[in-house]
Amino acid sequence: MDFVINLLTGVELLWLWISLSTEPVIGVAHEPMFDSQIANVTVKEMTTAVLPCSVKYLGKCQVIWTDKFSTVLTFEDRRVTDDNRISVERPFIKDWNLHIRNVRYKDSGMYNCQINTNPVKMKVVYLTVKVPAKILNSSSPDTIRVTEGKTVKLQCNVSGIPTPTVTWHRISQDEKGETKKSEFCTSTNKIGMSGEVLVIHNISRHCGDVYECSASNGVPPAVSRFITVNVHFPPEVTLPNSRMGQILGKETILECQVTANPQGGAVWRKNGMEMKNLSGKFRIEMYREDSISVSISLRISFLEQSDYGVYTCEAYNQLGRDAGTMVLYEYKIPEVWTTTTTTTRKPAMTLPVIPPYKTRIIHPPPRQTSIHHKQQHRHQHHKTLSKNGQQYHRESNSVVVKDGRDKMSNYGPTDERLQSGYKEGKTGESLTGGNTGEASTRTSATTNFILALVTLLFTQL
């Protein structure tokens, strides 16, 4: 304790020395003076406001703080008012700062830091307290229900200093479920951008959504409020198809979409009779598409002839009803006539088979001789020699064959058949034993082959 007292005493002596060192020369008197004559302080509500006041050459004079009503708040460094939020803080010996904790808007105004000189010296400090925007509880309810075609009014009462600006946005979700803001109810009806009251005339089902009221005055934080608009309207039934065909014995599904708010009841009828769930035959299923639309399907597991006909999807709620009809008919698979196409391929080219050819043997014509020689020639023709059972002509060397009746078949050069130049025999053989027949045979075979090849080519074309 003694150490603390000595430390404080040392600090006071140090401040005293500093003060004396700044005092004017002995014999020259200085009156107290402020560092400035006026100051402006702006703070946010519920924070601490610090009103500065620094005095030089105070001497034995005293400092007090008064408010805009001239009420004394402090004397020296002591609080006089009963408001415990107020105090005097002196970070330095010359400072007499006034602190107001948890400042309120009503604390705004003029404050005076005074020195009891003659006349009294005074420093004026203006305090401005800003209040963030606030939405009052007396505004519209969180959910508003309205019938389609009516006028709806959304109200968002706010307060704040300075006066807040109110902005309206429509909050909706896209196909991915992400929230987005829009400034339009429909493409033609623009909702109010600013103002505490939003009016939507002739509201439609497309305007039913969540609306955001945002208030801001530059003092953070900005505040928002959400109001849900629920638009009621009678149901509307939509059928994707007015006619549907299905094969006998197959399964089929009849579907309709009902748009209504609120959703009421919905049934399927056939020829006026309500269709109900039957085990293994009929089944009615319902799927929600969005907040105002549902799909109602009628599943028929096994189509019979009696199941074909007119079906009606009917929906209703407290505002009205609607219905849509469709025809289920038997679909028959049409007969398909098939045509078989035969492709004929051309045969490969083959060489013709050449039949055996007749050999034409050409003998040289007989020499022209005199009558005497002709007679002698005939006489010698009948003379033959016999050798080894064969007969040879003496001069012509032609073969003479004797038949079984000992008749001579003369094939000599004087024979009429030899004179005509033709004789049947083996291919390439000559009775005379010469080469003339072989050359003629090769020439004839080549000619016949070329003719056959040309004939085949014309046949293929």
Side-chain angles (χ1 to χ4, degrees), residues 32-85:
M33 58 182 300
F34 297 104
D35 58 346
S36 63
Q37 297 298 319
I38 190 171
N40 294 309
V41 177
T42 301
V43 295
K44 178 183 175 182
E45 190 181 34
M46 301 309 294
T47 60
T48 299
V50 179
L51 281 61
C53 182
S54 180
V55 181
K56 293 181 179 180
Y57 316 124
L58 180 60
K60 296 181 179 180
C61 297
Q62 298 169 335
V63 177
I64 63 174
W65 278 95
T66 61
D67 61 7
K68 56 186 175 183
F69 303 107
S70 298
T71 302
V72 178
L73 302 177
T74 64
F75 178 77
E76 296 269 330
D77 57 357
R78 296 183 296 274
R79 175 174 56 85
V80 177
T81 180
D82 57 355
D83 190 350
N84 56 10
R85 299 178 301 129

Side-chain angles (χ1 to χ4, degrees), residues 196-213:
E196 297 186 6
V197 179
L198 170 65
V199 179
I200 304 176
H201 299 278
N202 192 21
I203 191 170
S204 69
R205 67 193 65 181
H206 305 290
C207 294
D209 221 324
V210 178
Y211 293 84
E212 179 187 20
C213 163

Side-chain angles (χ1 to χ4, degrees), residues 9 14 84-85 123 133 228 349 361 391 395 412 424 426 434 445 459:
T9 303
L14 178 61
N84 56 10
R85 299 178 301 129
K123 176 181 180 178
T228 302
M349 182 183 296
I361 301 174
Q391 296 178 355
E395 293 183 0
E424 295 181 359
K426 295 182 180 180
T459 303

Side-chain angles (χ1 to χ4, degrees), residues 60-213:
K60 296 181 179 180
C61 297
Q62 298 169 335
V63 177
I64 63 174
W65 278 95
T66 61
D67 61 7
K68 56 186 175 183
F69 303 107
S70 298
T71 302
V72 178
L73 302 177
T74 64
F75 178 77
E76 296 269 330
D77 57 357
R78 296 183 296 274
R79 175 174 56 85
V80 177
T81 180
D82 57 355
D83 190 350
N84 56 10
R85 299 178 301 129
I86 297 177
S87 65
V88 174
E89 304 293 338
R90 301 187 62 191
F92 299 100
I93 292 178
K94 62 179 181 178
D95 292 335
W96 302 85
N97 299 333
L98 180 65
H99 284 222
I100 306 176
R101 292 176 294 276
N102 296 327
V103 67
R104 302 184 182 95
Y105 175 70
K106 66 179 182 179
D107 297 328
S108 302
M110 183 181 65
Y111 291 82
N112 297 318
C113 179
Q114 301 180 13
I115 303 174
N116 60 345
T117 56
N118 189 15
V120 176
K121 291 186 177 181
M122 183 183 303
K123 176 181 180 178
V124 179
V125 180
Y126 291 95
L127 175 63
T128 301
V129 179
K130 290 186 175 182
V131 181
K134 182 180 180 180
I135 298 177
L136 305 179
N137 295 329
S138 59
S139 55
S140 300
D142 295 337
T143 301
I144 297 178
R145 295 178 177 84
V146 61
T147 304
E148 188 175 31
K150 301 293 184 180
T151 299
V152 65
K153 180 185 295 185
L154 308 181
Q155 190 170 357
C156 187
N157 297 330
V158 298
S159 64
I161 302 297
T163 303
T165 300
V166 179
T167 305
W168 293 89
H169 294 283
R170 180 183 178 185
I171 307 299
S172 57
Q173 292 184 346
D174 56 14
E175 296 178 355
K176 297 181 180 179
E178 298 179 356
T179 301
K180 62 180 181 179
K181 291 185 178 182
S182 173
E183 297 179 355
F184 296 89
C185 175
T186 62
S187 58
T188 56
N189 295 333
K190 181 178 180 180
I191 69 174
M193 281 295 298
S194 61
E196 297 186 6
V197 179
L198 170 65
V199 179
I200 304 176
H201 299 278
N202 192 21
I203 191 170
S204 69
R205 67 193 65 181
H206 305 290
C207 294
D209 221 324
V210 178
Y211 293 84
E212 179 187 20
C213 163

